[in-house]
Amino acid sequence: MDDGERMSLTQPASTDWREHPQGFRRWEKSTRLGDGPEIWTWASTEVLRWGVKTRSGFTVSPAAAAVRPGDRPVITAHPFGLSVREPVEVVAVVDGEDRVGFAYRTLPGHPVTGEEAFIVHRDAGSVILTVRSLTRPGRGHWRALYPALLIAQTVARRRYLRALRVRAGR
């Protein structure tokens, strides 16, 4: 485990996520993307280049460079024709033979406070995408909008879980 992984609350390198800090809503879900080395290679590359976010309707600036700890891209959500800036910082990156992914934490100005991780791993030949999230209300005017943001978060999570399945042929 590297220093970045110790700083990550969603622990993308860990197969057994036990973290649950008080005051955060914890969420984790996995979906099977398919089988075989072609799906693995494609999905692991996509996840490390923000593919789960961009294939879910978000933009990431700077565009689709491979993630690195300490990166601070701005993610932009586009609900209802609006543009909502979501500043983040990458806190952990995993790039192993059977597990790749990363975690980012939100920065001031993000609608929620917390961390999110996108992980692709192999399990007996199957390629699995796992999404982990810890959130609580953001600061300022975002706090009052938190109930609506929870709905938006549910929609985004469904998109995350479908984002790589579409290309994987499922």
Side-chain angles (χ1 to χ4, degrees):
M1 183 184 299
D2 64 22
D3 288 339
E5 180 64 17
R6 281 193 291 275
M7 293 178 8
S8 170
L9 298 174
T10 52
Q11 303 169 337
S14 176
T15 58
D16 186 23
W17 181 40
R18 296 177 188 264
E19 194 71 39
H20 191 186
Q22 192 167 355
F24 285 88
R25 295 171 67 99
R26 181 185 190 276
W27 186 86
E28 178 179 31
K29 185 136 179 142
S30 297
T31 188
R32 184 177 166 277
L33 300 177
D35 299 297
E38 184 178 309
I39 297 295
W40 168 254
T41 299
W42 178 81
S44 59
T45 300
E46 278 296 302
V47 84
L48 290 176
R49 294 192 176 274
W50 294 96
V52 174
K53 291 296 272 192
T54 58
R55 290 176 174 278
S56 298
F58 294 81
T59 55
V60 178
S61 179
V67 296
R68 293 182 322 223
D71 283 352
R72 288 186 166 207
V74 174
I75 298 169
T76 305
H78 305 282
F80 311 111
L82 303 172
S83 291
V84 178
R85 289 175 35 99
E86 300 180 344
V88 302
E89 178 180 20
V90 176
V91 293
V93 177
V94 178
D95 192 358
E97 187 175 317
D98 292 316
R99 188 175 192 86
V100 301
F102 70 99
Y104 67 81
R105 68 178 176 100
T106 63
L107 295 173
H110 195 289
V112 298
T113 298
E115 189 174 299
E116 201 157 50
F118 302 107
I119 307 143
V120 175
H121 54 100
R122 291 194 252 204
D123 183 13
S126 290
V127 179
I128 312 292
L129 169 67
T130 299
V131 179
R132 294 176 177 170
S133 176
L134 289 168
T135 56
R136 64 182 176 202
R139 295 189 174 112
H141 66 280
W142 292 118
R143 182 172 292 281
L145 296 172
Y146 191 62
L149 293 171
L150 289 175
I151 295 167
Q153 196 172 56
T154 298
V155 171
R157 288 173 177 162
R158 281 191 210 129
R159 289 180 180 172
Y160 296 162
L161 293 169
R162 287 192 317 247
L164 301 185
R165 282 192 320 206
V166 172
R167 167 57 169 82
R170 295 194 62 232

